Amino acid sequence: MCKLPLERTALKKYREAGKIARKVREDVRSFVREGMAVIEVCEWVEDKIRRLGGQPAFPCNVSINHIAAHYTSPPNDKSLIPEDSLVKVDIGVHMDGYIADTATTICFNPELKFLEETSMQALMKGIEIIQPGISTSEFGSAIQRFIESRGLKPISNLTGHQIDRYLIHAGKSLPNVSHFSLSKIREGEIFAIEPFVTTRDGAGRVRDGPPGNIYRLVKQKSVKDPEAKRVLTYIKNHYRTLPFAERWLRKVFPRKILDEAFQKLLRSRILMVYPVFVEAKGKPVAQAEHTVLITRNGCEVLT
Ligand code: MN
Ligand code: MN
């Protein structure tokens, strides 16, 4: 099966989304401070994306220490960036559904700096080896070997992923460990490469924590309740199949209406809520991520 090369306009939008995502990722590194409110970081990132002409492809994730991924602030979040913490900021931008997904780790603890550096170097390794024809299992083995050569552990059940229009996790996964798979990388595909790294005494995997504050439309089904219907229509029109935050809807609907509508939509399984992912032994996790376009000889980093 041969995939057609990306349409020119699609490629242009991927590149624009990538450029915005890169700018926000670079700037957020000097914005985040110990003691700052987490919600301030989330909203700063999301506002900056919009001011630069993009749309958030998902709520800004601010995942701290052993929380590996999928934390975003609920409305009125009181949590703060702790002292000596390892903070992962994961940023998604889309232009017309063409998504750039990128993440960075900000380290306030010199003893954990090695985790941040290794996740970044593992990402560079991934960028160096990815090319048409490589299998996802060869890719995963190489990343695992690299991380283990540094005396650390990859998180085996958090993976990079193929990206498609309005779909963050499309088609193929890109694990950071050796695994059995026949799937191969092809020219013209878009991938997020994202190694997650923990300490040697960590479990090297995440478990589901409590439900987070990130939601997504998962089922096409109508609802009778007029308020729930209004909220659902808004979600379909504004986010389609992309994840969103309750914070965003609070700016549009009164709290009481939203709370009831949300409960109805979750109960009827039209919406899903993502759990927060935590390192299974509670060890700190670092992450680095870029979105790349697979080219004839390798890849173009979009972010
Ligand atoms: Mn990401
Ligand atoms: Mn990703």
Side-chain angles (χ1 to χ4, degrees):
M1 197 174 69
C2 174
K3 195 178 155 83
L4 290 170
L6 272 180
E7 210 191 310
R8 282 221 345 242
T9 51
L11 185 54
K12 189 164 168 269
K13 286 179 177 171
Y14 273 120
R15 286 187 175 132
E16 282 170 16
K19 201 170 157 191
I20 294 169
R22 173 168 70 237
K23 171 80 179 139
V24 177
R25 184 196 63 233
E26 283 167 358
D27 290 357
V28 82
R29 291 188 60 86
S30 45
F31 178 75
V32 177
R33 293 274 181 267
E34 292 161 285
M36 184 180 262
V38 172
I39 195 168
E40 197 184 332
V41 180
C42 294
E43 296 196 327
W44 186 87
V45 163
E46 292 158 5
D47 286 345
K48 180 133 186 150
I49 291 169
R50 295 186 187 104
R51 270 184 294 141
L52 292 171
Q55 284 296 323
F58 49 80
C60 171
N61 289 207
V62 178
S63 306
I64 297 168
N65 296 335
H66 66 293
I67 312 265
H70 290 177
Y71 184 88
T72 197
S73 286
N76 308 313
D77 191 6
K78 297 283 182 289
S79 61
L80 305 177
I81 305 286
E83 278 181 27
D84 295 328
S85 55
L86 194 63
V87 182
K88 296 158 292 290
V89 181
D90 198 326
I91 299 161
V93 177
H94 82 91
M95 300 288 292
D96 253 350
Y98 298 102
I99 301 162
D101 183 3
T102 188
T104 188
T105 297
I106 303 148
C107 181
F108 296 108
N109 181 346
E111 283 172 26
L112 298 176
K113 188 80 184 160
F114 191 54
L115 284 175
E116 178 203 327
E117 287 166 358
T118 304
S119 65
M120 193 62 202
Q121 289 160 357
L123 172 59
M124 291 307 149
K125 179 86 189 163
I127 288 169
E128 191 186 303
I129 64 172
I130 203 163
Q131 59 174 328
I134 189 176
S135 69
T136 62
S137 68
E138 287 170 87
F139 178 92
S141 301
I143 299 295
Q144 178 173 16
R145 274 198 308 277
F146 176 81
I147 293 170
E148 289 175 352
S149 78
R150 294 293 190 272
L152 297 171
K153 264 191 189 168
I155 300 288
S156 60
N157 58 347
L158 287 177
T159 71
H161 47 93
Q162 200 176 348
I163 287 175
D164 216 331
R165 196 175 181 198
Y166 285 108
L167 274 182
I168 291 176
H169 286 251
K172 302 171 194 171
S173 296
L174 204 52
N176 299 301
V177 291
S178 133
H179 63 286
F180 178 78
S181 165
L182 296 173
S183 96
K184 285 190 156 69
I185 307 293
R186 304 276 174 220
E187 184 178 351
E189 292 175 339
I190 305 279
F191 274 94
I193 304 178
E194 50 180 320
F196 288 82
V197 174
T198 190
T199 51
R200 199 202 300 252
D201 57 349
R205 61 189 167 76
V206 290
R207 60 173 178 79
D208 287 1
N213 306 293
I214 302 177
Y215 299 86
R216 187 165 78 86
L217 177 67
V218 282
K219 193 152 81 180
Q220 293 291 345
K221 188 174 145 188
S222 62
V223 276
K224 285 204 194 89
D225 179 79
E227 301 293 4
K229 203 183 196 104
R230 260 179 65 214
V231 173
L232 180 59
T233 303
Y234 185 90
I235 291 168
K236 278 183 186 162
N237 292 341
H238 289 80
Y239 315 129
R240 300 204 196 188
T241 43
L242 293 173
F244 58 89
E246 191 182 344
R247 285 184 282 109
W248 300 352
L249 290 165
R250 280 281 186 93
K251 297 189 168 119
V252 185
F253 297 99
R255 182 183 174 161
K256 198 173 166 321
I257 285 178
L258 189 61
D259 284 353
E260 282 173 21
F262 244 62
Q263 288 317 313
K264 289 202 173 90
L265 295 172
L266 284 166
R267 263 205 311 273
S268 51
R269 297 179 195 279
I270 293 172
L271 298 185
M272 60 132 352
V273 57
Y274 288 85
V276 165
F277 288 138
V278 299
E279 211 287 328
K281 283 190 179 166
K283 297 300 172 186
V285 177
Q287 170 205 19
E289 179 178 26
H290 275 305
T291 297
V292 305
L293 163 69
I294 309 300
T295 56
R296 196 149 57 93
N297 305 313
C299 74
E300 172 187 331
V301 178
L302 297 170
T303 47

